[in-house]
Amino acid sequence: MKRIYGIIGDPVAHSLSPVMHNAAFEKLGLDALYLAFRVSKGELKDAIRGAKSLGIAGLNVTIPLKEKALFFVNAEEEAKKIGAINTIDFGSGTPVGYNTDGIGSMQALKEVVDEIKGKKVLILGAGGAARAISFYLDAEGAKVTIANRTKERAAQLTSILHNAKSIGLGAELTKQLKDMDILINATSVGMHPNEDATLVRADLMHPDLVVFDIVYNPMETKLLKEAKKAGVKKVVDGVKMLVYQGAASFKIWTKKEPPIAEMEKAVRDVLNSIPKRKVL
Ligand code: NAP
C-alpha cells in the first residue's frame, strides 16, 4: 500500500516540502506520497492522533506548530533541548519527534566552512530556527553571538548555550560584525513579499565573512545581494538548509539515502518559476 507522508502547519499551502519529497520518492521508486495539511494550533493534538490512526508514516511540522508539537510526541533529547520538533516518525507505532533544522543548517554551512570549532558566528534572530542552529554551532565549539530585535529572547536563548552572548540589533551589531567569521540570518527579514529588507548592509561586511541566509524565498535575498556587493566570497542560501533538513527527515522515515541533488533541483525549479510579484 502507498505510504503517506505530509507537512502540517498554518499556513502551509506555500510549502515546498511536498515537491521536494515527492521528487525524492520518484527518484528512488518508492510507492509513497507527500501532502500538505493545514492544521491550526487548536487542532494539533487531534491531528497527530488522527495521523497515527490513519497509518500516516511521517510528518514534518512547520510554523506555528513546532514548539507545541513537542508535547504530543516522544521527543528525542536533542529536540527537547531545542524546544521544538519539525519531524514526526510513526514507524514504531508511537509518534517520535525530531528536530532536523539544526543538522540541516550545519550541512549547508559545511559546504563552504571546513571547521566550525572556534569560529565567531553572529546569528540574527532568536526564534525557533535560531534556537536549532545555535544549539548545533555551540555543540561544535563555535563562539556564538545572538542578535535579536527582542533582547530578552536573545538572552533567554544564550542561557541554554555554553559559549554564547546576546546583543541587540543597533550599534552593538555594527561593532561586533567587523570581528565575525560567519553571519547567519535566522529571522524572517527579507522573506517574500518584503524582499528589499535586510538587517545588515554591505558596508558592515568584510570579504572573508561567510554569509548564510536561511530565508529561501527569494533564493537570493537582499542580504545575499549586499554580501555580493561587499565582495563576500562564500555565501549559502536558504534552499540548501531546506533540502538538508528535509533529507534528514527523509532518512529518518525511509532509512534510505536521500537523493539530495533531485530534491534541490525540484525546489530550485519551483522557485525559479515563480513570477516576481506572485505572493507565496
Ligand atoms: P520565528 O520563531 O517566528 O522567529 C522569527 C525571528 O525573526 C525572531 O527572532 C524575530 O525577532 C525575528 N524578526 C521577525 N521580524 C523581524 C523584523 N522586522 N526585524 C527584526 N527581527 C525580526 O520563526 P523561525 O521558525 O525561527 O523562522 C525564521 C525564518 O527562517 C523564516 O523566514 C522561515 O521561513 C525560515 N526558515 C527556513 C528554514 C530552511 O530550511 N531554510 C527552516 C526554518 C525556518 P523577535 O524575537 O524580536 O520577534
Side-chain angles (χ1 to χ4, degrees), residues 14 20 62-64 66-67 86 100-101 104-105 124-133 146-154 169 185-192 194 197 199 212-217 237-246:
H14 67 284
M20 176 168 75
T62 190
I63 288 172
K66 288 183 182 184
E67 286 87 6
N86 73 338
T100 66
D101 278 337
S105 66
L124 300 166
R131 285 180 76 90
I133 296 168
I146 306 285
N148 197 47
R149 178 176 60 183
T150 311
K151 262 185 152 181
E152 301 72 39
R153 209 172 173 197
L169 291 178
N185 176 43
T187 73
S188 45
V189 175
M191 189 170 79
H192 184 86
N194 301 310
L199 293 174
F212 175 18
D213 198 337
I214 77 163
V215 170
Y216 56 80
N217 182 20
D237 70 20
V239 172
K240 288 282 179 192
M241 174 172 163
L242 180 73
V243 170
Y244 284 123
Q245 62 78 32

Side-chain angles (χ1 to χ4, degrees), residues 160-181:
I160 65 160
L161 303 173
H162 298 102
N163 194 3
K165 61 180 178 186
S166 64
I167 59 170
L169 291 178
E172 270 175 303
L173 173 61
T174 306
K175 202 170 135 202
Q176 296 282 335
L177 265 169
K178 289 188 196 99
D179 198 32
M180 289 293 152
D181 300 308

Side-chain angles (χ1 to χ4, degrees), residues 47 98 106-108 118 145 151 193 201 216 223 236 278:
Y98 302 83
M106 293 302 278
Q107 279 179 274
T145 300
K151 262 185 152 181
R201 297 202 173 268
Y216 56 80
L223 179 75
V236 186
K278 187 174 170 204

Side-chain angles (χ1 to χ4, degrees), residues 69-70 73-89 95-100 103 135-136 248 252:
L70 196 62
V73 298
N74 276 350
E76 269 211 319
E77 277 314 307
E78 213 169 72
K80 279 189 204 159
K81 283 183 195 149
I82 293 168
I85 59 163
N86 73 338
T87 303
I88 305 174
D89 181 34
V96 182
Y98 302 83
N99 191 315
T100 66
I103 194 109
F135 179 83
Y136 271 82
I252 289 167

Side-chain angles (χ1 to χ4, degrees), residues 7-266:
I7 181 163
I8 55 174
D10 186 17
V12 76
H14 67 284
S15 173
L16 295 173
S17 292
V19 78
M20 176 168 75
H21 285 286
N22 286 325
F25 294 146
E26 195 182 328
K27 174 68 185 172
L28 298 191
L30 301 179
D31 188 16
L33 178 67
Y34 188 108
L35 300 164
F37 301 100
R38 188 170 181 186
V39 172
S40 68
K41 268 191 179 177
E43 290 164 338
L44 180 60
K45 189 177 179 185
D46 287 344
I48 293 174
R49 270 201 199 152
K52 178 176 176 281
S53 305
L54 288 171
I56 285 182
L59 288 174
N60 280 128
V61 182
T62 190
I63 288 172
L65 310 175
K66 288 183 182 184
E67 286 87 6
K68 195 171 177 191
L70 196 62
F71 300 104
F72 307 127
V73 298
N74 276 350
E76 269 211 319
E77 277 314 307
E78 213 169 72
K80 279 189 204 159
K81 283 183 195 149
I82 293 168
I85 59 163
N86 73 338
T87 303
I88 305 174
D89 181 34
F90 294 93
S92 65
T94 311
V96 182
Y98 302 83
N99 191 315
T100 66
D101 278 337
I103 194 109
S105 66
M106 293 302 278
Q107 279 179 274
L109 199 53
K110 284 178 180 176
E111 283 203 354
V112 300
V113 178
D114 297 330
E115 175 79 57
I116 298 292
K117 193 167 182 224
K119 289 282 186 311
K120 286 176 255 171
V121 186
L122 194 139
I123 301 179
L124 300 166
R131 285 180 76 90
I133 296 168
S134 58
F135 179 83
Y136 271 82
L137 285 167
D138 187 60
E140 289 212 17
K143 294 173 188 153
V144 175
T145 300
I146 306 285
N148 197 47
R149 178 176 60 183
T150 311
K151 262 185 152 181
E152 301 72 39
R153 209 172 173 197
Q156 199 271 332
L157 172 51
T158 54
S159 72
I160 65 160
L161 303 173
H162 298 102
N163 194 3
K165 61 180 178 186
S166 64
I167 59 170
L169 291 178
E172 270 175 303
L173 173 61
T174 306
K175 202 170 135 202
Q176 296 282 335
L177 265 169
K178 289 188 196 99
D179 198 32
M180 289 293 152
D181 300 308
I182 301 170
L183 168 67
I184 303 176
N185 176 43
T187 73
S188 45
V189 175
M191 189 170 79
H192 184 86
N194 301 310
E195 296 180 14
D196 287 333
T198 177
L199 293 174
V200 176
R201 297 202 173 268
D203 56 338
L204 298 182
M205 301 180 193
H206 58 83
D208 294 325
L209 187 69
V210 173
V211 180
F212 175 18
D213 198 337
I214 77 163
V215 170
Y216 56 80
N217 182 20
M219 279 189 283
E220 189 180 41
T221 59
K222 177 77 173 170
L223 179 75
L224 296 186
K225 285 181 182 157
E226 291 290 308
K228 212 185 245 178
K229 225 191 273 178
V232 167
K233 295 183 277 290
K234 292 180 178 173
V235 298
V236 186
D237 70 20
V239 172
K240 288 282 179 192
M241 174 172 163
L242 180 73
V243 170
Y244 284 123
Q245 62 78 32
S249 302
F250 187 93
K251 198 166 181 179
I252 289 167
W253 297 324
T254 65
K255 317 282 182 262
K256 293 185 189 306
E257 243 1 273
I260 304 275
E262 281 74 16
M263 293 169 83
E264 182 168 349
K265 183 178 181 312

